[in-house]
Amino acid sequence: MNEFLNKLTSIVGPTHVQTSGDLSKYEQDWRKRAKGKALAVVSPGNTEEVSLIVKACLTQNVSIVPQGGNTSMVVGSIPNETGTQILLSLQRMNKVRTLDALNLTMTVESGCVLQQVQQAAEQAGYLFPLSLGSQGSCTIGGNLSTNAGGTQVVRYGNARELCLGLEVVSATGEIWHGLSGLRKDNTGYDLKNLYIGSEGTLGIITAATLKLYPMPAAKLTAWAGVQSIEQAVELLGLAHRTLGPALSGFEVMGQFALSLVDKHFPQMNVPLWKENPYCILLEASDNESESHARAQFEGLMEKAIEAEIITDAVIAESLSQAKALWLIRENITMAQATEGLNIKHDISIPVSKIAPFVLHTDALIAKKIEGVNIVNFGHLGDGNLHYNVQAPQGVDSKQFLIDFEHDINTLVYDSVMEYGGSISAEHGVGSLKVDTLKDYKDPTALVLMRSIKRALDPQNIFNPGRVINSL
Ligand code: FAD
Ligand code: MLT
Ligand code: ZN
């Protein structure tokens, strides 16, 4: 094994192969659901080095866990406990390679932090719209490998829709140069879309060509209170009809979710949460002007109040007010993590069925466990809820998971299926949902997925045990 580590050292240099010291930032998952042990943490500086590392690992039959910012919600980016896998950190590969203003594209290395990409686009006068609460630490490679969603999907789509080309190191160590900035290219199978969302199980993304958009002339943000989940969905319909394509964000937040932000971040002054079972955060991005956007937005709020869909609303008057409202929404995850371990669900349901799903499932859970807390929030505009379950007050969260996680997952996912949904909307499968997927995914789809994995990674060296756990 020493010889193997020497080989890795000769590829990336001695400071970029770590085998000792505190490696917990690579080995512990964000949600504290699991901790692994790496044979070594290896940090390449360029694509050729990644290729050589893969070839070295193939010879020794050592598996590779790719990692970007390690913000996975589903235990997808840490090594297992055996101490035999290498953790491939892409963080050093963080250069913006090019920005093509006329083609509205930029090409970046996969270790670029999302916020860095947003800022580079903004400095050139363009928008890269992918936005997640983890944007200060997650990377483009991780975003594409999980096909991340976030808060702007309703207008711009998820990570897949924002990517025009990839550079990938395959499981034979070869480099696929697919960094086209083409919007049309029908020359056979769509390799790009196979790698996107494959969670590091098919190849290592080393760079990507991303879509840029013109900066909107104005952005408006509002926070509204509604008395029921039905009214939340009704407001979404009205927002679509009134704002058309200008609707760029539509988030729902349940009362208990907001109570956790109020408890753990009291300085944030959460509006309207005490008197409303749900609050909505809406955003419109207008390409005309601030006054046009404001008139449309105020019109929407007036209509919603007249129709008694919302009880009250706050329209942000400045950028800093808008940011403060978004910060409340983005901090639900941290507030929930501070409260303790929890059962997280990342589900999607057709928007038209969200309300019946929530009413039905809330009732089933309440009947099963007295005093249980449902932390329901998410991207209602995309039909994507984080329908999470937290231990009743005073119950140890670790014990709660041991006692109830399996049963609650079964209850929620059975209900998701009944309403025509998916058990993973945007976070992926990782190891946390790999067994569950077997029970809920179409069996033919699973057979096809296994054939793809066998064809592209026959030695199963890329992130084994994630997404599918048997070949
Ligand atoms: P990692 O966690 O490091 O890895 C994720 C997966 O991708 C792993 O399977 C890993 O092996 C693989 N991978 C990473 N880099 C590469 C690469 N270069 N090549 C091949 N495989 C690779 N997700 C959403 O979709 N929407 C949200 O709104 C959202 N909000 C979040 C808010 C918070 C506070 C947190 C902590 C997480 C949130 N997430 C969200 C989840 C997470 O941030 C995303 O999944 C993100 O895309 C992961 O990026 P990462 O760089 O941290 O990837
Ligand atoms: C979010 O929407 O905030 C993220 O997906 C993270 C989470 O589910 O907690
Ligand atoms: Zn989310």
Side-chain angles (χ1 to χ4, degrees):
M1 209 32 85
N2 271 348
E3 211 176 295
F4 172 65
L5 292 174
N6 288 342
K7 173 80 188 159
L8 296 179
T9 304
S10 73
I11 298 169
V12 294
T15 50
H16 303 306
V17 178
Q18 293 167 264
T19 52
S20 57
D22 181 10
L23 300 178
S24 52
K25 78 170 192 163
Y26 303 103
E27 293 177 334
Q28 170 77 63
D29 85 303
W30 195 92
R31 288 181 58 213
K32 308 225 175 339
R33 295 299 310 263
K35 188 162 186 200
K37 173 91 195 84
L39 172 64
V41 174
V42 186
S43 306
N46 57 52
T47 306
E48 286 66 33
E49 289 181 5
V50 176
S51 159
L52 292 172
I53 293 165
V54 171
K55 286 177 181 161
C57 288
L58 271 175
T59 315
Q60 287 292 317
N61 214 10
V62 169
S63 58
I64 301 173
V65 179
Q67 188 182 89
N70 196 18
T71 63
S72 168
M73 296 268 103
V74 288
V75 190
S77 49
I78 57 164
N80 65 22
E81 290 163 355
T82 59
T84 59
Q85 301 184 302
I86 70 157
L87 187 291
L88 189 80
S89 169
L90 278 305
Q91 285 186 341
R92 283 182 63 223
M93 294 185 54
N94 59 4
K95 288 186 206 64
V96 173
R97 289 193 188 161
T98 54
L99 191 146
D100 182 343
L102 275 183
N103 198 42
L104 285 173
T105 51
M106 72 192 285
T107 297
V108 304
E109 291 181 347
S110 60
C112 283
V113 169
L114 174 56
Q115 203 163 52
Q116 177 198 352
V117 174
Q118 293 166 340
Q119 283 165 357
E122 196 176 332
Q123 271 159 23
Y126 295 94
L127 173 75
F128 179 64
L130 189 67
S131 301
L132 319 179
S134 53
Q135 61 203 23
S137 36
C138 64
T139 62
I140 282 295
N143 301 150
L144 290 166
S145 300
T146 57
N147 186 25
T151 53
Q152 301 281 298
V153 175
V154 68
R155 166 132 179 206
Y156 298 100
N158 48 26
R160 184 188 302 285
E161 280 144 302
L162 298 171
C163 179
L164 292 172
L166 289 181
E167 179 184 89
V168 172
V169 174
S170 76
T172 55
E174 277 149 314
I175 302 170
W176 171 46
H177 298 281
L179 285 174
S180 102
L182 300 176
R183 282 170 172 79
K184 290 188 162 183
D185 181 9
N186 284 350
T187 51
Y189 303 137
D190 194 337
L191 298 177
K192 177 194 73 180
N193 276 328
L194 203 52
Y195 286 115
I196 294 175
S198 68
E199 300 182 45
T201 63
L202 299 180
I204 297 172
I205 297 177
T206 50
T209 300
L210 306 170
K211 272 189 201 169
L212 296 176
Y213 288 82
M215 267 303 174
K219 250 191 198 179
L220 286 177
T221 306
W223 183 285
V226 293
Q227 286 296 302
S228 67
I229 190 72
E230 290 100 319
Q231 285 176 326
V233 174
E234 221 180 310
L235 181 63
L236 173 62
L238 185 65
H240 275 307
R241 291 194 298 278
T242 313
L243 302 175
L247 180 66
S248 52
F250 196 100
E251 300 286 310
V252 67
M253 297 153 289
Q255 196 165 40
F256 187 73
L258 290 174
S259 79
L260 293 180
V261 179
D262 183 69
K263 178 174 167 187
H264 297 293
F265 302 102
Q267 74 284 7
M268 284 193 180
N269 295 321
V270 182
L272 305 177
W273 74 273
K274 283 194 180 134
E275 54 277 25
N276 291 286
Y278 289 93
C279 286
I280 305 293
L281 185 58
L282 285 104
E283 187 191 80
S285 302
D286 195 284
N287 287 341
E288 278 191 39
S289 66
E290 168 85 24
S291 57
H292 179 262
R294 191 163 282 277
Q296 252 197 337
F297 214 53
E298 286 174 354
L300 167 65
M301 290 302 151
E302 276 161 25
K303 269 194 231 167
I305 288 184
E306 259 167 41
E308 296 184 355
I309 298 173
I310 63 176
T311 56
D312 203 354
V314 181
I315 299 184
E317 291 300 328
S318 63
L319 198 62
S320 66
Q321 263 182 26
K323 275 191 181 155
L325 293 175
W326 275 107
L327 214 56
I328 296 169
R329 159 63 185 89
E330 281 160 7
N331 272 287
I332 296 175
T333 311
M334 190 49 99
Q336 207 190 350
T338 313
E339 184 72 7
L341 292 174
N342 53 74
I343 305 173
K344 188 175 271 294
H345 300 117
D346 164 42
I347 56 178
S348 66
I349 309 271
V351 169
S352 49
K353 295 196 178 131
I354 288 269
F357 164 83
V358 170
L359 296 174
H360 175 70
T361 317
D362 279 2
L364 289 179
I365 292 181
K367 201 166 138 198
K368 190 166 183 67
I369 308 163
E370 209 187 323
V372 77
N373 291 306
I374 297 182
V375 186
N376 186 7
F377 67 99
H379 319 287
L380 184 57
D382 321 323
N384 174 193
L385 294 179
H386 299 303
Y387 187 86
N388 305 336
V389 182
Q390 196 109 23
Q393 208 65 38
V395 173
D396 176 63
S397 63
K398 210 168 178 180
Q399 192 58 43
F400 178 72
L401 259 64
I402 294 169
D403 293 342
F404 290 109
E405 184 167 26
H406 180 265
D407 287 0
I408 293 209
N409 282 347
T410 305
L411 184 157
V412 172
Y413 293 145
D414 284 355
S415 187
V416 166
M417 288 298 126
E418 216 176 304
Y419 288 90
S422 165
I423 65 158
S424 174
E426 57 172 9
H427 294 164
V429 177
S431 2
L432 218 52
K433 293 188 185 167
V434 73
D435 290 326
T436 319
L437 193 75
K438 283 202 304 246
D439 297 332
Y440 292 97
K441 184 103 183 163
D442 178 283
T444 307
L446 283 172
V447 169
L448 294 171
M449 280 166 61
R450 280 194 208 102
S451 336
I452 291 169
K453 172 73 174 170
R454 278 197 301 270
L456 293 192
D457 180 15
Q459 263 182 251
N460 196 15
I461 63 157
F462 285 155
N463 221 356
R466 264 86 199 227
V467 186
I468 42 177
N469 57 7
S470 65
L471 295 194

